Amino acid sequence: MGGAGMNTDSWSDLLADLLPGLALSLQLTAAMLAMGLPLGLLMAVGLSQKRKYVSVPTLALVEIGRGIPALVLLYMIYFGLPQAGMSLDAFLSAAVGLAISFASYTSEVFRAGLAAVPHGQREAGHALGLPRTVIFLRVLLPQALKIIVPPLLGWAIIYFQATSLAFALAVPELMSRAYVLATTNFQYLNMLALAAGLYAAISIPLSLLSEHMNRRGSRTATS
Amino acid sequence: MNVAMQQSTSPPTAAAESRYAAEAQNVTVEFHGHKAVDNVSLGIAKGEVCAIIGPSGSGKSTLLRTFNHLQEPTSGQILINGRPTVPGSRKPKPADLMQLRRTVGMCFQSFNLFPHLTALENIMLAQTKALGRSKDEARERGRHLLERVGLEAKANARPSQCSGGQQQRIAIARALALDPEIMLFDEPTSALDPELGAEVLAVMRELADSGMTMLVVTHEMNFAEDVAEHLVFMADGVIVEQGDPSSVLRSPQQERTQKFLRAVNGR
């Protein structure tokens, strides 16, 4: 494939060449979410602690995560960490770096969602003698998720697109694959347009879903 | 200032002989230097229904909330069955609080049912997670309690599908599911129209008849007179007057009580 018969390659052949890249991008997104979502929630809990020795360091972490460009984070983990005696492979470095960035941004979404649950809910939980963890997991979080999920989906879409930064660590994800193939068949415009189309094919339906959920959420947000 | 107090006659160590199911001793609650509750002592006998009335900002809800430590007293202490709720140290441990709240149930003005759970699930949650009952046992108990408050048909309804009166009755059932010895009610009918309020009061009346010890902050003067055995009038963070409900309501001794009751009855 590729090389020789480049001008005769059909769109579907080019697309087939890109699909493994898309699969890797989706895997990278999944790995990033698997780490980033719990971390974001954890940061939100840390941010809303009254105890300063918890909330202040968490805030510092969040600000660092948001203040540093994601690409710099990826480089620091992939090229920097080995100097500190810890090396991760390219895929994992990208997933971890993106997860830190994602968590830093979404911690505020989690925090706001949890804060939007009426105070009486927490009080009722306490008045029933429920342990704190049960109040959090069974009373507050389910109610907060209704508020949190639509904006979280929006962030997930942005970070799905941001997986293209893993290109810089030579992870053969969608963007990387499109570029590498283009360097062999010289169809830069076609390859990049196809990659863009694939990113959009995933992103646009999801952002429509997010908007739909948002509208439905605001209509039923009564109790 | 006449702070009618029922002075504790027994030392806190005489737990077994305490004639009070619940007692506040010299409780003060301060918010930013303002004393919402100012050195109040109040005893509620076993099986007694005690109603607290008074104007907004009188500290009656704040006092009520100290009985299950939803509000931490700034000073003074709460005794349940003669035992201090916070043994020794000033800062209560979560385990102590959880234990206390299984003994002292509470209903709120705004019901505070969990909106993402059905009526039955609302009643089951604390049974399984706080008492460690099995799901089957909790469900059985939940159905029985829903029947008791006349809402067995609403077992699988969400709170949003129930009227305010129904929600408050579910909230009462939810609190009763833990088999509390004392029930606190914080203006349970204030968010309800008179008709819906009446069905909640009927459930509370039945509960009182069954011998439950109850502390009720309310604006329902008829309920206070008919059901309560002990009426407390609070204003500006202190107990101004207390005693037999009929005598306090019909021949109040204090000027502040007279003024409040004139305003209530004048409506």
Side-chain angles (χ1 to χ4, degrees):
Chain A
M1 271 275 115
M6 54 190 161
N7 287 323
T8 58
D9 273 1
S10 69
W11 284 99
S12 60
D13 289 338
L14 294 176
L15 198 61
D17 280 345
L18 284 180
L19 285 180
L22 177 63
L24 198 63
S25 292
L26 290 172
Q27 282 169 30
L28 190 52
T29 308
M32 181 275 295
L33 289 175
M35 289 183 275
L37 286 172
L39 187 60
L41 181 58
L42 209 63
M43 284 174 162
V45 172
L47 283 178
S48 44
Q49 290 295 311
K50 280 196 202 88
R51 286 165 292 193
K52 285 263 193 305
Y53 64 88
V54 178
S55 64
V56 171
T58 312
L59 183 64
L61 217 64
V62 166
E63 290 303 334
I64 290 169
R66 292 198 293 200
I68 299 177
L71 184 58
V72 177
L73 272 174
L74 299 197
Y75 273 167
M76 280 169 70
I77 291 166
Y78 188 59
F79 297 114
L81 274 190
Q83 287 191 336
M86 201 176 122
S87 55
L88 302 177
D89 69 26
F91 180 87
L92 208 53
S93 296
V96 169
L98 289 170
I100 291 172
S101 175
F102 177 82
S104 303
Y105 277 103
T106 53
S107 61
E108 182 54 27
V109 174
F110 278 113
R111 193 205 56 76
L114 286 165
V117 178
H119 184 63
Q121 292 290 312
R122 187 189 298 266
E123 276 202 331
H126 281 306
L128 287 166
L130 289 172
R132 282 168 183 280
T133 46
V134 173
I135 294 176
F136 184 76
L137 294 174
R138 301 292 300 272
V139 176
L140 302 180
L141 195 56
Q143 297 184 58
L145 281 181
K146 278 191 186 161
I147 305 164
I148 290 170
V149 166
L152 217 50
L153 191 52
W155 281 106
I157 295 164
I158 293 173
Y159 275 77
F160 162 64
Q161 295 174 356
T163 58
S164 58
L165 292 172
F167 165 63
L169 306 187
V171 176
E173 45 67 59
L174 179 55
M175 166 63 201
S176 167
R177 199 160 169 95
Y179 181 76
V180 169
L181 286 170
T183 57
T184 59
N185 65 15
F186 301 108
Q187 300 191 45
Y188 284 96
L189 187 61
N190 288 349
M191 294 311 290
L192 292 174
L194 266 176
L198 286 173
Y199 280 116
I202 301 284
S203 303
I204 291 174
L206 284 177
S207 69
L208 289 177
L209 176 67
S210 164
E211 249 170 63
H212 172 73
M213 281 168 32
N214 217 351
R215 252 180 285 126
R216 212 183 45 152
S218 59
R219 215 174 37 235
T220 56
T222 46
S223 52
Chain B
M1 187 163 297
N2 179 355
V3 183
M5 282 191 270
Q6 297 197 336
Q7 286 298 346
S8 168
T9 48
S10 56
T13 45
E17 293 104 79
S18 173
R19 58 199 181 92
Y20 294 126
E23 189 179 358
Q25 285 183 344
N26 307 106
V27 165
T28 295
V29 179
E30 243 181 82
F31 295 124
H32 310 293
H34 167 73
K35 284 181 176 156
V37 174
D38 190 356
N39 196 26
V40 168
S41 295
L42 172 67
I44 300 123
K46 285 190 178 70
E48 184 180 78
V49 177
C50 175
I52 308 179
I53 61 169
S56 303
S58 59
K60 55 192 190 305
S61 284
T62 307
L63 174 65
L64 179 92
R65 291 159 56 89
T66 60
F67 277 89
N68 66 350
H69 280 252
L70 272 190
Q71 176 63 55
E72 209 57 52
T74 313
S75 63
Q77 65 175 349
I78 301 292
L79 289 89
I80 301 296
N81 293 323
R83 261 195 300 269
T85 49
V86 184
S89 67
R90 270 257 50 95
K91 184 97 175 141
K93 293 194 194 79
D96 294 334
L97 290 180
M98 274 156 47
Q99 192 52 47
L100 165 68
R101 287 157 182 170
R102 290 163 203 175
T103 312
V104 183
M106 181 166 182
C107 288
F108 298 88
Q109 179 176 356
S110 49
F111 331 130
N112 297 352
L113 290 177
F114 305 134
H116 57 299
L117 302 178
T118 65
L120 189 57
E121 288 166 347
N122 262 280
I123 302 172
M124 287 170 62
L125 183 64
Q127 292 188 72
T128 54
K129 298 292 174 185
L131 293 186
R133 285 184 188 151
S134 73
K135 281 207 162 172
D136 285 341
E137 195 184 353
R139 190 176 295 112
E140 180 70 17
R141 184 102 176 86
R143 288 198 185 283
H144 173 76
L145 281 163
L146 279 173
E147 200 178 320
R148 181 167 171 189
V149 299
L151 289 171
E152 60 273 36
K154 288 285 182 184
N156 296 316
R158 293 286 168 99
S160 58
Q161 297 165 308
C162 300
S163 73
Q166 290 169 338
Q167 288 188 50
Q168 191 62 293
R169 283 147 68 196
I170 295 165
I172 293 172
R174 179 174 72 171
L176 290 179
L178 301 182
D179 299 318
E181 293 171 36
I182 300 149
M183 282 286 292
L184 308 175
F185 291 88
D186 189 6
E187 302 197 30
T189 57
S190 295
L192 302 171
D193 69 39
E195 201 176 3
L196 296 178
E199 62 185 49
V200 171
L201 292 173
V203 168
M204 290 172 63
R205 209 177 281 257
E206 188 265 332
L207 192 59
D209 290 343
S210 76
M212 176 66 76
T213 306
M214 292 162 65
L215 183 56
V216 186
V217 169
T218 186
H219 292 297
E220 304 275 355
M221 296 303 153
N222 290 334
F223 176 85
E225 185 165 7
D226 293 353
V227 180
E229 285 114 13
H230 180 181
L231 185 76
V232 174
F233 173 70
M234 280 185 76
D236 302 321
V238 298
I239 294 177
V240 175
E241 192 165 354
Q242 66 177 321
D244 171 64
S246 297
S247 40
V248 173
L249 289 171
R250 299 198 183 272
S251 49
Q253 301 300 305
Q254 301 297 322
E255 200 184 325
R256 185 69 188 88
T257 319
Q258 290 162 5
K259 184 168 164 251
F260 176 74
L261 290 173
R262 264 200 308 278
V264 170
N265 296 327
R267 292 208 302 168

